[in-house]
Amino acid sequence: MNRRQALLTGVYAGLSGVSGQVFSARRAPRVVFLNPGEAVQRGTGEHWQLVSRFMAMAAQTFDMQLEVLYAERDHLLMQRQAEQVARRTDAPDYIVIVNEKMAAARMLQTLAHSPAKVLLIHNDLTPAQRLTVGNERQRIPNWIGTLTANAERAGYRLMEFLYQRLGQSGAAVIGITGDPNTPVSLERAAGVDDFLYHASNARTCQLVFSDWSYEDSDQKARVLLARYPDANVIWAANDAMTLGALDAVSARNARVLVGGIGALPEALTRVADGGLAAMMAGDYFIGAWAMVLLHDHNQGKDFAANGGLRQKLDFLTTIDRKNAVRYADVVFRSGAILDFGLYSKTRYPRPGPYDFNLRYLLNTTSRVS
């Protein structure tokens, strides 16, 4: 697959990502997503392909057009893609970007020349970046908002669950997070640290950075388990790294609880069979939530009046052995289509901020296409 290829879609096709070209009967609204991840899974997990998949599902729900440009984890390519989109004479209505590897500040400045409205998701700007470019709808008027998951709360709740599973024994924790230049990587680690700071008889043995891959996490976990033989918990910041850590634990036949953040199908299988203690699930829905906001914005209902310009959502949910099979069936069953229209304020007017609690999806039987 040509990594520069634009994938235009109104439906999704397959777990590995979005493919093909499907056009709706009307052209508006049109959304371009500058996806920082890989179009084909190469060891860092399927998170970014799933973000596109659920965005496409939401696009189908709202009769929107979605174009996905994959940057293959190359922030320089992502910047070039932003420049190309900004130069289009037939501009889209909306552009969705991610602050992967701190690239978004420059991308926002580039896209300020486009008539399209820009929404930042998943990784927020850092305070230093905001000093450079300002805040939403200020120096860059077409940057209309920011939508992120509360990564700190996810890390906190994951460690809270693992700590409770230990019972009366104390926690000696090894942490494996992503690269140090990705804000969400640091935020997930900060949430874990916050819980351990307030918990009794709990400490971090060591936190290490990784490249989000299975192989790197497996190697580092083996070294850390040998260095800290009393460790009884490992957490990791995505599925690939969590599964790498689990295999390192199995290789040493260690009595260590392993949990992480993500909950892709392979990890859910390992939760269901008891290999993994827990996963914090739902991060890949952030693109679908973005489509909800953009749909409502396009319909004249500005999300700024319902939660603000900069929304940090606490929607990630704990998946353990009791609910892993049900979650996997609802979210990943072949042919299932999730109804993201449930979250739209134009379709279901509700007062107050948007509520993206996953129970609305999990308690609704998904359709089969």
Side-chain angles (χ1 to χ4, degrees):
M1 180 181 294
N2 187 325
R3 72 180 189 173
R4 298 171 184 266
Q5 180 182 16
L7 304 174
L8 291 115
T9 181
V11 296
Y12 74 94
L15 181 61
S16 62
V18 183
S19 62
Q21 295 189 344
V22 180
F23 299 87
S24 62
R26 59 185 177 86
R27 284 175 54 81
R30 292 175 297 155
V31 180
V32 172
F33 174 36
L34 300 183
N35 187 321
E38 299 165 335
V40 178
Q41 208 283 113
R42 297 187 182 92
T44 59
E46 296 170 310
H47 169 81
W48 286 112
Q49 294 135 55
L50 285 173
V51 172
S52 293
R53 170 180 170 173
F54 292 121
M55 284 183 80
M57 206 179 289
Q60 181 183 25
T61 298
F62 298 120
D63 193 22
M64 301 168 77
Q65 290 190 27
L66 174 66
E67 176 184 355
V68 180
L69 298 174
Y70 286 95
E72 306 293 341
R73 293 197 176 274
D74 180 347
H75 63 287
L76 297 177
L77 173 58
M78 192 161 56
Q79 176 61 36
R80 293 196 297 273
Q81 290 170 338
E83 292 167 358
Q84 292 164 4
V85 174
R87 289 196 300 266
R88 291 184 182 180
T89 55
D90 185 20
D93 298 282
Y94 299 98
I95 303 169
V96 178
I97 67 173
V98 179
N99 192 26
E100 190 83 355
K101 296 184 180 178
M102 307 286 283
R106 183 179 170 193
M107 292 167 67
L108 284 167
Q109 292 170 324
T110 297
L111 294 169
H113 303 292
S114 171
K117 299 174 179 64
V118 181
L119 182 69
L120 176 66
I121 69 167
H122 188 64
N123 280 307
D124 199 348
L125 296 189
T126 65
Q129 287 177 305
R130 286 181 177 268
L131 286 175
T132 300
V133 302
N135 294 319
E136 296 84 349
R137 307 190 190 185
Q138 294 181 353
R139 279 179 266 170
I140 302 177
N142 67 332
W143 173 24
I144 61 171
T146 298
L147 182 68
T148 61
N150 193 324
E152 288 192 28
R153 285 294 302 160
Y156 185 100
R157 290 207 304 274
L158 172 67
M159 188 50 56
E160 181 180 40
F161 179 90
L162 297 174
Y163 179 83
Q164 290 171 350
R165 277 284 306 273
L166 291 171
Q168 298 299 314
S169 59
V173 180
I174 292 170
I176 305 174
T177 195
D179 68 82
N181 294 318
T182 299
V184 73
S185 171
L186 303 176
E187 291 165 9
R188 289 171 181 174
V192 170
D193 285 347
D194 185 36
F195 177 82
L196 294 176
Y197 178 80
H198 293 95
S200 60
N201 195 18
R203 64 185 177 89
T204 295
C205 298
Q206 189 171 344
L207 173 70
V208 296
F209 293 105
S210 181
D211 64 359
W212 302 102
S213 73
Y214 168 94
E215 291 80 5
D216 190 57
S217 177
D218 181 21
Q219 294 170 8
K220 287 178 176 172
R222 289 171 189 257
V223 171
L224 293 170
L225 286 167
R227 183 178 299 166
Y228 304 105
D230 61 333
N232 55 9
V233 175
I234 297 182
W235 77 273
N238 78 343
D239 289 81
M241 295 189 299
T242 304
L243 291 169
L246 179 64
D247 281 358
V249 167
S250 298
R252 289 185 60 88
N253 197 28
R255 295 175 59 85
V256 177
L257 290 178
V258 181
I261 299 172
L264 300 177
E266 185 178 357
L268 291 171
T269 299
R270 299 312 315 273
V271 174
D273 68 21
L276 291 175
M279 295 294 294
M280 296 301 298
D283 209 34
Y284 30 67
F285 291 128
I286 193 70
W289 305 154
M291 297 298 279
V292 172
L293 298 191
L294 296 182
H295 164 74
D296 287 358
H297 184 274
N298 186 70
Q299 295 293 313
K301 194 169 188 65
D302 191 348
F303 56 83
N306 297 275
L309 299 175
R310 186 180 179 187
Q311 302 201 13
K312 180 170 284 192
L313 309 175
D314 187 10
F315 66 90
L316 301 186
T317 190
T318 307
I319 301 299
D320 62 12
R321 199 168 187 177
K322 298 190 296 295
N323 59 359
V325 172
R326 166 64 178 163
Y327 180 89
D329 180 63
V330 171
V331 174
F332 294 114
R333 176 164 47 89
S334 177
I337 299 178
L338 302 175
D339 184 8
F340 293 105
L342 296 168
Y343 298 94
S344 166
K345 285 185 175 289
T346 58
R347 294 194 176 188
Y348 299 95
R350 305 181 186 93
Y354 281 84
D355 180 6
F356 288 108
N357 194 306
L358 294 185
R359 70 174 181 272
Y360 301 128
L361 289 180
L362 300 181
N363 293 339
T364 301
T365 302
S366 53
R367 304 190 305 273
V368 177
S369 60

